[in-house]
Amino acid sequence: MLGASRMIGRYVIALVSLLVLHMRAEGAINVGITYVTEAVASGAVCLDGSPPAYHFSEGFGSGINNWLVHFQGGSWCQNVSSCISRRDTSLGSSAHMETAVTFHGLLNNEEEFNPDFYNWNRILVRYCDGGSYTGDVEAVDPVTNLHFRGARVFQAVMENLLSRGMKNAQNAIMSGCSAGGLTSILHCDKFKALLPSGARVKCLSDAGYFVNANDISGAPSIEEFYSQVVATHGSANNLPASCTSRMKPSLCFFPENVVEQIQTPIFFLNAAHDSWQIANILAPPDSDPSGVWHGCRTNIQNCTPEQLKIIQDFRMEFLTALRKASRFSPHNGMFIDGCFAHCQSDAQQTWFSAPVVGNATISRAVGDWYYDRNGFHKKIDCAYPCNPTCQNVS
């Protein structure tokens, strides 16, 4: 009974905190855009040939030499047609990006809502290459004007930030959401290698642990999708060599095949019932021509008992793939909640208040792991719908 009372108590605390966030201003700020114009000369450009860009909020006080570089998500384009469809949007061109954005969650500048990282140098890198910063194709078709240069963009942005003071970093985190979360895995060791040898450098992947699972029709649709991404962007030479030396480059887009060789500590933040993965890996529209999964795909509360059973089996596939991240490095951390969600670090409510797993919020778990506080840093939740603090955001 005492354990149950404590569990109920922490859920109540989380929900009260959530209510407070609804009732008062969060102190978030609008942050202007910086265009990395010097990158154009080296061909480090977005899909349309425009310069890469980021939003930079300068650190202050004790955080002046601490850096948090967060990569925006936005899926991938796998062929010329899909890349053209995003070329003239904010996911393919800095000319179409908002000139200012509001920082929330792990980028928030208020100590009350982001106690461990509020006064760091905080950067949001805008995603405009469509290949998780792995592409590098020299030729540009004048008909489509598509530039597949993500690997160059990553290097150019890093060089720009180093010149702005990151070369003196004492503490640093590279993080990202979704396709940006995959970026923070694939490029984690590269990021660490750029920084002073004495710096504390770690990575955070939010909703970036994509699994190689067959869809509901039995087809390996996500594996084929990644194969097309790698071929279109010319990604093979920019994926971890420790993986490409052992298997097809397209398989190295799956974290389960690369994490065992990554030396830098990584924190894996993921919903075990990841809403994007359910909608695009488990039950993509092409696998469901009759539309039986349409309602379930977008809202887990609409799923039938049979569909929930399939989703719970998918959760077990995810946890099996995740074990590689835990087994090969005791320095890795994780927060795997039982929610139906995708990307939880850059939203204020999910970052700071709920969900709660193992008596910790996401911000508390990440801060404890980064600073090596409070011992055990691997938290895995029970299966949906057991956690009443879930926000179930997509």
Side-chain angles (χ1 to χ4, degrees):
M1 284 296 292
L2 182 58
S5 297
R6 286 176 177 170
M7 181 177 293
I8 293 171
R10 71 171 183 260
Y11 290 153
V12 169
I13 291 171
L15 293 174
V16 169
S17 298
L18 184 60
L19 180 61
V20 170
L21 282 175
H22 278 298
M23 295 177 62
R24 56 174 295 183
E26 299 168 9
I29 57 172
N30 288 327
V31 181
I33 198 167
T34 297
Y35 301 99
V36 190
T37 54
E38 71 272 16
V40 176
S42 62
V45 293
C46 299
L47 282 172
D48 72 334
S50 59
Y54 62 79
H55 302 264
F56 176 39
S57 181
E58 192 171 358
F60 56 94
S62 62
I64 196 168
N65 288 320
N66 300 337
W67 292 75
L68 196 162
V69 184
H70 185 73
F71 285 83
Q72 181 189 29
S75 192
W76 308 268
C77 58
Q78 81 276 23
N79 52 39
V80 169
S81 177
S82 64
C83 290
I84 287 176
S85 71
R86 63 193 280 156
R87 179 193 60 199
D88 300 322
T89 73
S90 63
L91 288 173
S93 170
S94 60
H96 293 276
M97 294 174 184
E98 308 96 313
T99 56
V101 298
T102 303
F103 278 8
H104 295 289
L106 83 168
L107 297 174
N108 195 298
N109 71 313
E110 285 286 318
E111 183 176 11
E112 182 178 1
F113 298 107
N114 189 24
D116 287 307
F117 311 113
Y118 74 99
N119 64 351
W120 287 31
N121 295 283
R122 287 154 290 111
I123 297 94
L124 173 65
V125 181
R126 300 299 296 269
Y127 183 37
C128 68
D129 74 286
S132 285
Y133 302 90
T134 61
D136 195 359
V137 177
E138 183 64 34
V140 177
D141 186 338
V143 176
T144 64
N145 193 39
L146 286 172
H147 298 71
F148 301 109
R149 305 282 181 74
R152 299 190 203 183
V153 169
F154 179 85
Q155 187 64 32
V157 170
M158 291 298 107
E159 290 175 357
N160 184 277
L161 294 175
L162 288 167
S163 71
R164 297 191 68 168
M166 195 170 72
K167 64 182 178 181
N168 300 315
Q170 296 173 353
N171 294 285
I173 294 175
M174 182 172 72
S175 64
C177 152
S178 192
L182 180 60
T183 297
S184 69
I185 297 173
L186 296 177
H187 298 293
C188 186
D189 282 343
K190 294 179 186 177
F191 179 68
K192 180 176 174 57
L194 295 169
L195 300 176
S197 59
R200 186 204 309 256
V201 182
K202 300 184 180 183
C203 299
L204 165 63
S205 173
D206 178 6
Y209 207 98
F210 300 95
V211 296
N212 189 6
N214 289 343
D215 63 31
I216 54 174
S217 72
S221 56
I222 189 63
E223 184 176 325
E224 174 57 28
F225 178 82
Y226 279 162
S227 179
Q228 293 178 42
V229 171
V230 168
T232 297
H233 289 262
S235 301
N237 290 334
N238 296 299
L239 293 165
S242 58
C243 178
T244 56
S245 64
R246 296 180 289 112
M247 58 186 69
K248 294 188 302 182
S250 58
L251 294 177
C252 299
F253 249 60
F254 294 104
E256 63 198 86
N257 294 327
V258 300
V259 292
E260 61 187 280
Q261 300 298 329
I262 295 174
Q263 302 300 307
T264 308
I266 306 179
F267 190 97
F268 299 97
L269 164 61
N270 238 100
H273 315 86
D274 186 288
S275 56
W276 190 94
Q277 295 199 49
I278 289 172
N280 295 278
I281 296 179
L282 177 64
D286 287 349
S287 71
D288 180 37
S290 62
V292 173
W293 278 76
H294 177 72
C296 175
R297 183 185 297 116
T298 57
N299 186 340
I300 198 169
Q301 295 179 356
N302 294 331
C303 298
T304 66
E306 293 77 14
Q307 290 169 330
L308 279 176
K309 173 61 168 61
I310 294 171
I311 288 173
Q312 301 298 11
D313 290 343
F314 182 75
R315 170 182 178 268
M316 294 308 300
E317 283 193 76
F318 171 81
L319 293 178
T320 297
L322 188 69
R323 287 194 186 101
K324 292 186 178 182
S326 178
R327 185 168 73 244
F328 287 98
S329 176
H331 303 294
N332 290 340
M334 60 184 63
F335 185 104
I336 310 301
D337 56 70
C339 308
F340 181 72
H342 184 68
C343 289
Q344 301 174 94
S345 65
D346 50 10
Q348 195 58 49
Q349 295 173 5
T350 47
W351 170 252
F352 181 72
S353 296
V356 174
V357 177
N359 206 32
T361 60
I362 293 170
S363 61
R364 175 65 180 274
V366 172
D368 284 353
W369 164 78
Y370 183 80
Y371 286 111
D372 300 308
R373 299 185 307 227
N374 299 328
F376 189 67
H377 299 127
K378 294 179 174 64
K379 303 181 187 301
I380 299 180
D381 203 2
C382 46
Y384 176 88
C386 74
N387 190 335
T389 68
C390 282
Q391 299 303 296
N392 296 326
V393 295
S394 59

